[in-house]
Amino acid sequence: MHNRVKELRMSLGLTQKELGERVMVSRQAINAIETGKFDPSIWLAHDLAKLFSVSIEYLFIFREEDRK
């Protein structure tokens, strides 16, 4: 699944570690989400969207061809 996590994180001037601390996950988890290696739980997606003040649909780009 494609996402805008890195773009929005950088726009706030946050490191992966800082973002992880704000949503209570590791820097490695943030890196895995940003690189598409890990799809977050719905609750983590919610927390990230809330932190960035965007919708989940804006933050995560759902495409049928990405469906697992």
Side-chain angles (χ1 to χ4, degrees):
M1 173 178 3
H2 297 280
N3 65 74
R4 295 182 171 97
V5 174
K6 182 176 182 179
E7 166 191 337
L8 293 171
R9 173 181 62 78
M10 293 181 77
S11 75
L12 293 179
L14 297 173
T15 65
Q16 289 178 341
K17 182 178 184 218
E18 291 167 335
L19 177 56
E21 289 170 351
R22 290 192 183 192
V23 293
M24 297 186 298
V25 298
S26 68
R27 179 203 61 79
Q28 292 87 349
I30 297 299
N31 179 269
I33 293 168
E34 288 183 355
T35 58
K37 295 177 184 169
F38 173 73
D39 292 337
S41 69
I42 191 65
W43 288 111
L44 179 52
H46 171 270
D47 291 346
L48 288 165
K50 186 174 178 183
L51 185 139
F52 293 130
S53 300
V54 298
S55 68
I56 291 174
E57 291 82 3
Y58 178 82
L59 186 57
F60 295 95
I61 300 112
F62 296 92
R63 299 184 318 191
E64 191 63 35
E65 61 267 20
D66 294 333
R67 193 174 207 166
K68 295 179 182 174

